[in-house]
Structures are given as C-alpha cells and as structure tokens.
Amino acid sequence: MKICKRLKNCFIVFISFCFFIIQSCTSSKLSNYHFNQKTAAPQLKEDIALLKNILEANHPSLYWYTPKDSIDAAFSNAINSIKDSLTEVEFRNKVAVVISKIRCGHTAVRFSKNYSKEIEKNRYPQFPLFIKTWGDSMVVLGSLLPKDSVFKRGTVITSINHKTNRQLIDSMFQLISTDGYSNNYKSQVFSGNFPVWYKLAFGSDSLYSIDYIDNAGNPKTKVITFYQPKKDTAVKKKDTLKVPPVIATKTPSKREMKKLQLLSKRSMFIDSSLNTAFIRLATFNSGKLRKFYRQNMRTIKQQKIQNVVIDLRENTGGELNKSNLLTKYFINKPFKTGDTVAAISRKFRYLKYFPQGILYWMPMHTFFNRKMSDGRIHNRYLEKHYFHPKKNNHFNGNVYLMQAGYTFSAATIFISNLKGQQNVTVAGEETGGGYYGNSAMFLPDIILPNSKLRVVLPLYRLVMDSTRTKNGHGIIPDVLIEPSSIKIKQGIDIKMERIREIITAKNTKSNAAN
C-alpha cells in the first residue's frame, strides 16, 4: 500500500511537472504577432503592477541598495507615465529604468520571445560607430561606414548630436542593471554593442553630428549618416547575374568546429620565456572545464611553471561548482560559498507567470533549505560546507587574476576567494559583480502576461563575506589598469602588456637575488 501511495504521489508530481512545462510553452508567445507591435496602456499598467507584486513576493534583495519608498515611487512613476499604447521597445525601456533602480545585476529585462525571434528579419537603421566607454571617455573601436576616413580606431569622441559624453552615458545607464554601484559593467556592455544601446536610448536618426578630437589634438565636428544593414535579396535575373569564380575551401569537420567552440570558451598557452601559463576563461558554464582544469594543471606542474595568469575579463559567470573547483587548485585554505545564501520564501504565489517555475520550486523544498530565525529560507549546505584546496597539482607559484567590467557572478566569487592571498595579484578594472554579495543562484524568467516581456528574477541572496564593507562596489584590483585611447588606437592589450611587465620585473629581481 505504501509503495502504491508513493507511486501515486510520484505520478501526481510528474503530471504537475508536465502541466507546468506545457503551460509555460504555450503562454510565453503572442499569436498573430507583428514585430515591435503596440500594446494598450491599461494592459501595460497591469503588467508593471503585477511585476511589482512578484518582486515583493520573491526578490531576495529588493531594497538592499534602494529604500522601499524609492522603489515604490519608481513603479508609480512608470505606471503614471503610460498615457497611450507603447511599442515593445518603448515599454521595455520603462521597465528597465525601474529595474535598474534595484541595483541587482541578475535582475534583468529581456524582450519577448516573439521580438527576439523576429529581430533578425527586421533590420533597422542604426548608429554607425562602435565605441568603447569608461568613465566619461568614449573612443571609437570601429565604423560600419565603408568610406569613413575620419572615425578610425582610437578616435576620441566628445559629444553626439549635441549631447555630452556624460549625458549620453547617464541616459544609457538607466536601461541596464548592475550590482550596486559598479557601473563598470554597464560601460563594458555598451562597449560590446554601442549601436544597439544607443538606438534603445535615443532611437534612430538619419544624420549624426559628432564632435571629436583629430590626430593633431584639435576639436572637430563631422556629420555622418546612419548605417542600414543589408537585407537578403532575391536572386537577380540571369542576364544581369555575375557569378564570381568559385574558390575551393575546406569545410571544417564537426570535430574541428567543436574544438574551435571550446577554444572560444577556454584556452591555455605557455610562454617559456616568462615561465608563465596564460589561462583564458570566458565562462564557468560549458566547455568541458573539469577536464580542462585537470589536464592543464598537470601540465603546469610537470613543466614547473612559476607564474599563472588567469584572464577573466570576459567571464560573466556560470556554474558555482565549476568556479569552486578552479579555486581549489589555487587557494591555500578552506573556503565556503558564503556566509548567507537565503531566499525570501519557498512559495511562488505567482507561479503561472514563471515558465518552468516548478523546476525552481522543487529544489527549494529539499532538506538543505531551512527556515531560520530571520524568516528566510537558508541553504545550510552552502552556508556551512567548507571546500578544501586540491592536493594533486595544486599551484603555489605567483598567480595573476585579470578582471574587468564583464567579470561577474561566479567569476567575481572566484576572485573574491583568492584576493588578499600572499601569492595572488588582482589586476585590471573594477568588476561588475559585487564584492560583498549578489542575488543569484536560481534565475527563472517572469513572463508578463500582456506584453510578454521577460524579467529575470534571482531567488537567493548571497553574502560572500559579512565582514566586508557593503558599499555596492565590485572587486577593486590591486593593480588598476584603465583603458587608454592611445593603446586602443595601436591595437595593444594594455592590461596584458602591463601584466607581462610585472612578471618580467619580478623574474629579473628573482634571478638577480639567486
């Protein structure tokens, strides 16, 4: 009888699971969708009000950096500002402005699945320059205009359409979230695709008046046109079609393609002249990282390498267990995930707005999670369990960790565990991920029912070390290496160049002492 009852319960759980999966698949898209279509004002107001209720019910750090009255005011202002129907882009911006005030980098706004699917078919005119931003600085990385002879790589920009750099950056900053006050992450995101973020903030113009500094150091102004991405065109008539000569090229095999994909995520090379291994990790997710760690740490030991550089400048995070595993090879003492790993509640009052929400609900009911005196649901395993350094192939030489604005989440946790260790030097810029803590772990999507806009909701608050100052900043490097317009123009990686100089100087000093 007990077995039958258990089977019955398992069957009910399975049916419930299937129900939620099916429900999530059928409710995340709109039928008869038109790209960037408008939604009526009452429906959009309902979506924002619902979003506020969901965040209040389940966001673990809603008022961590911004007081409740300010968050309430932001939601009220967004609702009251909607006077008429809005396109998805317009509504996305309104929601993003509110979300950014939470100051949580994992609470992010995404377009609907409909919009994301149709975007490639609806290419639009865009700002033609790729620009790197940091602080108040803006420097050209490249131009989409084929005959552009002015805005070469390294050109310093001082204003666009009569808006100063500071005005431009402040307006764009409102559209993206980051941990606390670590705006370096936002600057890095803009640098990755400035045309897209400029269009989101200011729309499209046919002409752009740009103030810049020429090669002689003189302020100049030039007006340029927008860039129109080319659309696929139909085959031309045979009598006008000119067929280019066919050049035989070898198509990469599946094995070669997989190898290239892995190299884009992680790689290592050894510079024997510096006695240094350079490891690049762009993610803590995929990439067969366990095998990568094991093989390369063995190689480092066998070749008696004295210096290891780990480049995490592109690493936005990933799986915590992959981050912890790498930490074990370099740390010299036991460590744990954090002092606090806690959710506000096990309950999902608005479960129907979470696609596959049951997948996140179920783990929160395991015996690892307990309700504590503060009323929150704590993951006691992550709060109490200590991980120990690896014995085999543990590295005890000089470690250099390279970080930047993109360094986030699990990558920040990895660096924070090693920062301050005697043989570790952290170099680069402030991380985008918070040094005190963040809100992450489980990251389900909320689907707003009318607009179908998606909002990522973190379920756990993580305080890595409660003795640290909660000032809303990322990890400040031991060696600050800021961007340089001159180095950008020359195509030189200033951070890697500086690391090599530090290692060379240290090696020279060590050799002289011996």
Side-chain angles (χ1 to χ4, degrees):
M1 291 296 291
K2 288 183 178 179
I3 294 175
C4 293
K5 188 174 182 181
R6 287 174 182 174
L7 288 173
K8 181 179 178 181
N9 290 337
C10 290
F11 179 75
I12 292 172
V13 170
F14 175 76
I15 293 298
S16 300
F17 172 80
C18 293
F19 170 78
F20 282 114
I21 294 295
I22 294 170
Q23 183 189 47
S24 66
C25 292
T26 57
S27 62
S28 60
K29 292 184 179 181
L30 291 167
S31 58
N32 301 318
Y33 176 81
H34 301 288
F35 181 70
N36 199 26
Q37 68 184 34
K38 289 189 173 184
T39 303
Q43 292 179 307
L44 297 179
K45 291 182 178 183
E46 287 177 6
D47 276 2
I48 294 182
L50 173 64
L51 177 60
K52 183 174 185 292
N53 290 338
I54 295 174
L55 294 176
E56 288 175 339
N58 288 104
H59 197 292
S61 306
L62 187 57
Y63 311 119
W64 215 11
Y65 290 105
T66 307
K68 185 179 186 304
D69 57 351
S70 297
I71 295 294
D72 290 345
F75 273 102
S76 295
N77 291 338
I79 291 173
N80 294 333
S81 69
I82 300 175
K83 307 295 184 183
D84 201 351
S85 58
L86 299 176
T87 64
E88 183 167 342
V89 170
E90 292 169 333
F91 184 57
R92 183 262 172 210
N93 285 356
K94 286 190 178 294
V95 175
V97 169
V98 177
I99 293 299
S100 69
K101 296 185 184 305
I102 300 172
R103 300 191 179 278
C104 169
H106 287 93
T107 310
V109 185
R110 296 174 179 171
F111 285 107
S112 68
K113 289 186 177 181
N114 291 105
Y115 185 97
S116 300
K117 182 179 179 181
E118 297 293 323
I119 184 67
E120 286 300 320
K121 303 176 186 177
N122 293 272
R123 299 183 179 183
Y124 46 77
Q126 64 188 63
F127 183 78
L129 302 180
F130 286 91
I131 295 175
K132 179 171 180 58
T133 74
W134 72 95
D136 291 342
S137 300
M138 295 175 63
V139 175
V140 175
L141 293 175
S143 174
L144 291 168
L145 301 177
K147 296 181 180 180
D148 188 350
S149 60
V150 174
F151 295 108
K152 301 296 184 182
R153 183 180 178 90
T155 303
V156 176
I157 303 296
T158 57
S159 77
I160 300 174
N161 283 352
H162 313 295
K163 291 184 176 68
T164 66
N165 290 358
R166 186 72 265 162
Q167 290 172 325
L168 291 165
I169 292 169
D170 284 346
S171 295
M172 295 165 70
F173 269 9
Q174 298 182 81
L175 303 181
I176 192 169
S177 302
T178 190
D179 283 353
Y181 307 99
S182 183
N183 287 329
N184 199 34
Y185 172 73
K186 297 184 180 185
S187 291
Q188 194 92 21
V189 171
F190 299 151
S191 301
N193 201 336
F194 190 89
V196 166
W197 289 99
Y198 184 92
K199 178 177 173 58
L200 276 177
F202 304 107
S204 294
D205 291 303
S206 56
L207 298 173
Y208 299 93
S209 176
I210 302 180
D211 293 333
Y212 66 100
I213 305 298
D214 68 10
N215 291 332
N218 300 315
K220 294 287 184 67
T221 301
K222 182 176 176 60
V223 176
I224 59 176
T225 63
F226 62 77
Y227 170 74
Q228 176 64 61
K230 293 181 180 179
K231 296 182 178 180
D232 294 334
T233 55
V235 178
K236 297 179 181 179
K237 294 180 181 180
K238 290 184 179 181
D239 59 344
T240 62
L241 181 64
K242 294 182 179 180
V243 181
V246 176
I247 301 175
T249 58
K250 182 182 177 181
T251 303
S253 65
K254 288 184 178 180
R255 185 176 181 179
E256 290 171 332
M257 287 300 297
K258 286 182 178 179
K259 187 175 181 180
L260 290 172
Q261 290 172 355
L262 287 175
L263 284 173
S264 71
K265 296 172 182 177
R266 82 293 187 277
S267 61
M268 187 187 86
F269 77 92
I270 293 175
D271 186 335
S272 56
S273 66
L274 289 177
N275 196 10
T276 301
F278 291 87
I279 297 173
R280 172 183 165 273
L281 287 172
T283 181
F284 277 118
N285 274 326
S286 55
K288 299 182 179 179
L289 292 179
R290 291 181 181 276
K291 182 179 179 180
F292 176 78
Y293 298 161
R294 184 174 62 253
Q295 291 179 340
N296 286 290
M297 294 309 296
R298 185 190 304 128
T299 299
I300 288 169
K301 183 175 183 179
Q302 290 172 346
Q303 298 192 21
K304 298 180 180 179
I305 299 299
Q306 295 301 308
N307 308 290
V308 171
V309 177
I310 306 177
D311 188 349
L312 297 158
R313 289 177 291 173
E314 305 165 86
N315 196 314
T316 57
E319 296 178 25
L320 187 59
N321 61 345
K322 303 290 178 59
S323 170
N324 286 340
L325 178 58
L326 184 63
T327 306
K328 293 178 183 180
Y329 283 103
F330 295 95
I331 202 164
N332 58 17
K333 62 181 181 181
F335 67 99
K336 61 180 180 176
T337 300
D339 290 336
T340 301
V341 183
I344 195 171
S345 173
R346 282 194 181 99
K347 298 178 181 179
F348 284 75
R349 289 175 52 198
Y350 302 92
L351 186 59
K352 67 178 181 179
Y353 302 111
F354 290 83
Q356 303 179 358
I358 196 69
L359 296 178
Y360 299 96
W361 175 86
M362 292 174 69
M364 297 179 76
H365 286 73
T366 63
F367 65 89
F368 291 123
N369 292 274
R370 299 179 190 173
K371 188 172 184 178
M372 303 300 287
S373 58
D374 61 358
R376 292 181 175 245
I377 310 302
H378 289 251
N379 187 307
R380 300 301 286 164
Y381 174 79
L382 295 178
E383 291 179 345
K384 294 294 184 181
H385 179 75
Y386 277 87
F387 301 92
H388 294 270
K390 283 275 188 182
K391 292 181 179 179
N392 294 331
N393 301 319
H394 187 275
F395 184 77
N396 298 306
N398 301 310
V399 182
Y400 300 89
L401 305 179
M402 299 179 65
Q403 63 179 39
Y406 263 149
T407 310
F408 208 80
S409 196
T412 304
I413 294 172
F414 170 76
I415 295 174
S416 71
N417 281 324
L418 290 170
K419 182 176 170 60
Q421 189 168 295
Q422 188 175 7
N423 64 329
V424 174
T425 301
V426 179
E429 304 169 66
E430 179 184 358
T431 60
Y435 184 42
Y436 178 77
N438 60 48
S439 294
M441 309 304 286
F442 293 166
L443 300 169
D445 277 352
I446 303 165
I447 302 293
L448 300 181
N450 298 310
S451 63
K452 302 302 178 184
L453 210 63
R454 294 174 288 172
V455 179
V456 182
L457 172 66
L459 296 180
Y460 282 85
R461 174 190 290 185
L462 167 63
V463 176
M464 290 180 274
D465 186 342
S466 59
T467 65
R468 296 173 187 165
T469 302
K470 179 176 164 286
N471 58 12
H473 284 286
I475 299 174
I476 306 301
D478 304 318
V479 179
L480 178 63
I481 311 173
E482 294 186 299
S484 160
S485 60
I486 295 174
K487 297 297 183 181
I488 291 173
K489 186 173 185 177
Q490 296 172 340
I492 294 174
D493 184 343
I494 187 173
K495 293 179 177 63
M496 189 62 76
E497 181 184 59
R498 178 69 177 124
I499 288 292
R500 286 179 170 274
E501 290 173 355
I502 292 172
I503 293 173
T504 300
K506 200 163 195 175
N507 287 347
T508 301
K509 185 178 179 180
S510 177
N511 293 335
N514 295 331

